Amino acid sequence: MKRQIIKAALLSLMILGAITSGYSQAKKPTLMVVPSDVWCNTNGYMQTYDDQGTKVKIPDYKRAFQENSDLLAVISKINGVMAERGFTVKNMESVVKTLESERAEDAVLTSKSGAGVSESPMDKLKKVAKADIIIQLTWDVLRTGPKKSVRFTLQGLDAYTDKEVATAGGTGNPSFSAETAVLLEEAVADKIDNFNAGLQRHFDDMFANGREIIIRIKKFDSWKNDLETEYGGKELNVIIEDWVRANSVKGRFSNSDATENMMLFEQVRIPLYDANGNAIDARAFTRGLQKMLAAAPYSIVNKLTAKGLGQAVIVLGEK
């Protein structure tokens, strides 16, 4: 009997090890390469939109893709380099076109209101692309007489938190005749593997410990209760915190701010994928909390909104 137990335990460890090893070695983050704000501003591809009364300057990606042939060629080259190294790459031009086809959501150009949150065009892009990492690319062409070279910066940003997880930069060798896209490809060639190693380390950490999101809890002024209202002898803020602890990966989160009217959970670690292999974002994860609060014995009408992939807001008291 003892031998059978040991044998079963060893088999379980082997299976677990194979699964863990398979994920860390085979699974790579999905990427989307985008021109940086700096590049868009330098090249005149910016527009302004009204974010709840404040004028905000944002990149005009659609016009940039339509008017700048270098942009298409450069992003295509970087996409090719990343694909050769086994990454799944989302094509930004296609994502922009998808957004255009969904123009009914006019929120790309106009402000949104409701629960006090808004989505920028970049947030919209992230939600459509569902990429794990956004690679911001900045480049400019340097000229010395008849020769030209490319100076570049790559920034790998976590699409959920905007944290920079990898960076690379440099200047390529000068050339008399090569196209900009080719010069850029050559310039990044000796930097890209270290850059990708940074992306993979970040992704492996997410596999092991979950990805980070932010959850905000607010209340409408019209709601007569607040987060200190007791249900079954326990304050609502404690009930919500218990849910976040029970459902986050390894119970990891930070309740960085809390009053009777609001709560802020940061660094909430959530699983990367659901049981069907679909990526989980902040809205999908927080929907469980929304349903719990709406059901008995709490029966709290509430509104769930999201900002990008990584932030969800529940407002208590109304839809």
Side-chain angles (χ1 to χ4, degrees):
M1 181 65 180
K2 186 176 179 182
R3 291 182 62 184
Q4 289 179 327
I5 294 174
I6 294 173
K7 189 176 179 181
L10 288 173
L11 181 61
S12 299
L13 286 172
M14 289 172 64
I15 293 172
L16 180 61
I19 292 172
T20 304
S21 174
Y23 271 136
S24 62
Q25 291 177 18
K27 191 71 175 177
K28 290 178 178 290
T30 54
L31 314 174
M32 184 170 71
V33 182
V34 308
S36 70
D37 288 11
V38 171
W39 183 90
C40 290
N41 190 50
T42 301
N43 291 276
Y45 299 115
M46 299 295 281
Q47 60 181 330
T48 56
Y49 82 112
D50 189 349
D51 184 6
Q52 300 182 52
T54 302
K55 297 292 183 185
V56 179
K57 202 172 180 182
I58 56 168
D60 188 344
Y61 299 121
K62 178 186 173 186
R63 194 162 66 84
F65 276 110
Q66 288 177 337
E67 298 179 4
N68 194 302
S69 58
D70 272 354
L71 176 63
L72 280 173
V74 162
I75 287 189
S76 177
K77 283 290 183 185
I78 300 299
N79 284 350
V81 169
M82 302 306 284
E84 285 175 2
R85 283 158 175 77
F87 292 94
T88 300
V89 184
K90 303 292 181 72
N91 186 295
M92 185 184 176
E93 186 188 14
S94 301
V95 173
V96 170
K97 288 179 179 176
T98 300
L99 274 177
E100 283 301 307
S101 70
E102 297 173 357
R103 186 55 91 145
E105 311 165 61
D106 234 337
V108 172
L109 296 177
T110 59
S111 65
K112 294 179 68 178
S113 60
V117 296
S118 61
E119 285 189 306
S120 71
M122 177 54 85
D123 290 330
K124 287 282 186 184
L125 277 173
K126 290 175 180 176
K127 288 173 72 172
V128 173
K130 293 281 186 183
D132 297 302
I133 304 289
I134 300 295
I135 298 179
Q136 279 202 142
L137 172 61
T138 307
W139 79 95
D140 57 348
V141 178
L142 308 176
R143 297 181 184 277
T144 306
K147 294 183 178 180
K148 64 179 183 179
S149 58
V150 168
R151 179 173 55 194
F152 77 96
T153 302
L154 286 174
Q155 295 170 285
L157 308 175
D158 185 310
Y160 287 64
T161 63
D162 288 331
K163 289 182 178 177
E164 185 172 290
V165 297
T167 185
T171 303
N173 294 323
S175 168
F176 282 103
S177 57
E179 295 177 354
T180 299
V182 175
L183 288 174
L184 181 63
E185 184 181 23
E186 293 172 353
V188 304
D190 63 338
K191 309 282 186 183
I192 199 68
D193 288 329
N194 282 339
F195 179 76
N196 290 343
L199 299 183
Q200 191 64 52
R201 279 194 299 273
H202 177 68
F203 199 62
D204 288 344
D205 173 69
M206 288 197 295
F207 255 124
N209 301 304
R211 69 165 96 240
E212 290 185 11
I213 64 164
I214 293 173
I215 300 174
R216 297 178 190 275
I217 309 295
K218 300 181 180 182
K219 68 177 284 289
F220 284 109
D221 291 340
S222 56
W223 192 42
K224 63 180 180 181
N225 295 335
D226 60 32
L227 290 159
E228 293 179 348
T229 301
E230 293 190 2
Y231 294 83
K234 188 183 284 189
E235 289 188 0
L236 182 58
N237 60 75
V238 177
I239 294 167
I240 292 173
E241 185 167 333
D242 285 348
W243 185 93
V244 175
R245 180 177 294 105
N247 289 278
S248 55
V249 176
K250 301 179 182 178
R252 294 177 63 174
F253 68 92
S254 171
N255 185 2
S256 54
D257 201 2
T259 70
E260 69 272 26
N261 296 316
M262 58 79 68
M263 298 179 77
L264 173 60
F265 296 95
E266 297 181 298
Q267 299 173 315
V268 181
R269 293 279 191 155
I270 67 171
L272 267 66
Y273 303 107
D274 63 18
N276 297 318
N278 300 315
I280 301 174
D281 60 18
R283 182 186 180 89
F285 177 79
T286 311
R287 192 171 290 121
L289 176 59
Q290 179 197 27
K291 289 181 178 178
M292 183 196 78
L293 295 172
Y298 314 110
S299 302
I300 301 171
V301 178
N302 65 82
K303 182 181 184 70
L304 172 63
T305 63
K307 181 179 181 181
L309 296 169
Q311 294 191 41
V313 182
I314 292 179
V315 190
L316 307 174
E318 289 186 40
K319 279 284 189 183

